[in-house]
């Protein structure tokens, strides 16, 4: 199988952003529970959040080096389902499910150069996501995937910023 020309850091960054958003939501829920139970004051919660964020950043830096080795095999192009001119291709993304698949399909379909984009999970016991992209011919399927991933990353950054801003206002 041929690998897609995505930088390992691009894929890592997208996945870290998604996981970071999930962690922020979990922390907010924990804070809400603590505040309802009268177990913590706002100052203690803020201090705990700052400490947790610092620890997370240090841990993320350590994981970045490990992830770069793993991400080389993260996205593969399926040669048997790829056109000669590159306008249609199927990709296999490891260790992902409907969470990424549906969002990525939606964002790629927003691209006016894309004719079709769909995804499937081959079997519930397999940890793969297959995504098929067909373009009108102005761009390649690989370029459409790269643009979709970049657009998703940008959208996650905006959502994270707004979410963090609202939490700080509380």
């Amino acid at each position: 199988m041929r690998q897609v020309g995505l930088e390992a850091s691009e894929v890592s960054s997208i996945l870290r952003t998604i996981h970071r958003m999930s962690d922020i939501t979990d922390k907010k829920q924990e804070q809400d529970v603590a505040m309802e139970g009268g177990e913590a004051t706002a100052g203690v919660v803020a201090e705990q959040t700052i400490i947790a964020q610092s620890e997370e950043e240090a841990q993320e830096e350590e994981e970045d080096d490990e992830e770069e080795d793993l991400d080389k095999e993260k996205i593969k192009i399926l040669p048997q389902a790829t056109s000669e001119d590159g306008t249609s291709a199927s990709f296999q993304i490891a260790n992902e499910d409907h969470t990424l698949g549906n969002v990525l399909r939606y964002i790629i379909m927003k691209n006016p150069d894309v004719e079709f984009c769909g995804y499937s999970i081959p079997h519930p016991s397999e940890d793969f996501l297959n995504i098929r992209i067909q373009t009108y011919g102005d761009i390649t399927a690989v370029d459409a995937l790269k643009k979709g991933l970049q657009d998703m990353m940008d959208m996650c950054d905006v959502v994270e910023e707004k979410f963090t801003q609202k939490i700080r206002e509380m």
Side-chain angles (χ1 to χ4, degrees), residues 18 30 32 34 47 55 59 84 89 104 123 150 157 165:
I18 291 169
E30 290 172 7
D32 288 346
E47 183 178 323
E55 290 172 354
Q59 184 179 3
E84 300 254 340
L104 190 56
H123 191 275
Q150 184 60 50
D157 289 343
Q165 179 185 10

Side-chain angles (χ1 to χ4, degrees), residues 12-28 49 53 56-57 60 151-169:
S12 294
S13 180
I14 291 168
L15 296 175
R16 276 195 309 276
T17 301
I18 291 169
H19 292 291
R20 197 174 328 124
M21 289 175 59
S22 175
D23 291 344
I24 290 171
T25 304
D26 292 345
K27 286 180 188 174
K28 174 63 176 134
T49 302
Q53 287 173 345
E56 274 184 33
E57 290 171 3
E60 283 178 13
D151 290 349
M152 185 174 68
M153 211 165 71
D154 295 342
M155 183 178 69
C156 287
D157 289 343
V158 169
V159 170
E160 180 184 21
E161 287 172 17
K162 291 190 182 273
F163 184 80
T164 305
Q165 179 185 10
K166 289 294 181 183
I167 285 184
R168 288 184 180 141
E169 290 175 5

Side-chain angles (χ1 to χ4, degrees), residues 68-79:
E68 284 191 29
D69 293 334
L70 298 174
D71 286 339
K72 291 178 183 176
E73 300 293 321
K74 183 74 175 175
I75 301 177
K76 295 179 182 179
I77 191 165
L78 302 175

